[in-house]
Amino acid sequence: RDIMSTGRSRVLTKISSRLAVSVLVASTVAAVSNWSPEGSWWLEVFQVPGWPHELVGGFLAILLVFRTDQAYGRFWEGRTQWSTMAAEIRSLARITVANRQIKSTEYMDEVLAHLSAFPVSLKQHLRGENNPLELEAIYEAFGMFQHDSVRRILRADNAPLIIMMALSTAYNAMIRGDASNGSLSQSLWERSEDSMFSLSQVISECEKIKCTPLPLSYSRHSSRFFTLFSFTLPFSLAHETTPVLIAPIVVGISWILFATDEIGHVIEEPFGSGLAQEVVSSARLQAQEALSNNTLSSTFNFFDQDQSGSVDAREFTDAMKKMGILLNQNEVNEIVNKYDQNGDRCLSNEEWRMDLIEELQRKAKEAQESAESMKSSLGFA
């Protein structure tokens, strides 16, 4: 089963170009070696002894083991931090739900919403993503989407830190608001602050891992060594085996070297980069396509969700969310009123103009630049 699934391997897809060149070089050397007349001068000139590859092979093996070990060390450290975060969040959720005898329970849903959103926000922060739709779904499930703190979180460059501050504020209001049981409130506050401190350390440690990759020159030179070894191997095999076996031997050895090297690149990113395919929501792709068409009908149909022939403030807000653009109610009303000619607080097909599309394209570009800025601040290429 493992062999049969090789063709679907994402690692093989990553190394396919280098592997194809290795096969081409090996096949060329095999063909020349087989069809050239015996005693040809080029066979003697390009004949490579086997001892250089035997000598370098041991060195490359040590280099590959060291490279993979360092990458796995980063992977294990990242997973350790993630498990610490999960344990602390579960602990905070447990003590929040278990102590319902506290009178100030109106903040309980806010605390649970922030706890649920924290892992998602940290994942996006470490991957350099900016997808507010994921966070919106969580806060909407707790009925908190219109809360001021949620607005700040969705607009923040470092959402996990903003969630931490919102959590501290909510815990302070929930626990210290109960004056009838001071000892219980104090113990819960101290316990929650210990967990908050651990979560803050998790953020710092994860950022340290993400912003301190293995030296680029080390990775590049390792890959160059493996490629050079693979490309010169056929010349060494030409007088050691039959021409028919040169290409298969080179393919097998190159596959092992390139795949192991690529796996090292993958596991050194424990937070979802590497081979992880970041999935953009279909709604956002649909929105980008509608704007890129630059036509009145395509964009209007996208915003007119109920196909009523007009776009109200709610539909306008929802469509902008799908594009990753968060607007408050005042901003939405300002845009709608700017292009609303008959005063019905809706935009009809006749009121949908090209300058409105240009304004939407400008806001979409600003949102994309904000996301790219966040990626560069975290050291993403």
Side-chain angles (χ1 to χ4, degrees), residues 10-32:
R10 289 178 292 175
V11 172
L12 182 60
T13 303
K14 288 281 188 177
I15 65 173
S16 58
S17 59
R18 286 195 293 170
L19 202 59
V21 175
S22 297
V23 173
L24 179 62
V25 172
S27 300
T28 302
V29 172
V32 172

Side-chain angles (χ1 to χ4, degrees), residues 31-33 35-47 235:
V32 172
S33 175
W35 294 333
S36 295
E38 186 176 355
S40 300
W41 64 269
W42 53 81
L43 294 180
E44 297 180 2
V45 170
F46 292 101
Q47 182 177 348
F235 297 96

Side-chain angles (χ1 to χ4, degrees), residues 118 121 158-166 200 203 207:
F118 184 83
S121 67
N158 194 330
L161 287 180
I162 304 301
I163 291 179
M164 289 285 297
M165 291 187 286
S200 179
I203 296 176
E207 288 178 338

Side-chain angles (χ1 to χ4, degrees), residues 67 104 117 151 155 163 165 189 224 233 243 258 304 330 348 378-379:
R67 167 78 171 79
S104 303
R151 290 290 182 178
R155 293 174 180 271
I163 291 179
M165 291 187 286
W189 173 255
R224 289 166 183 166
L233 183 60
F258 296 158
D304 186 17
N330 292 333
S348 64
L378 279 173

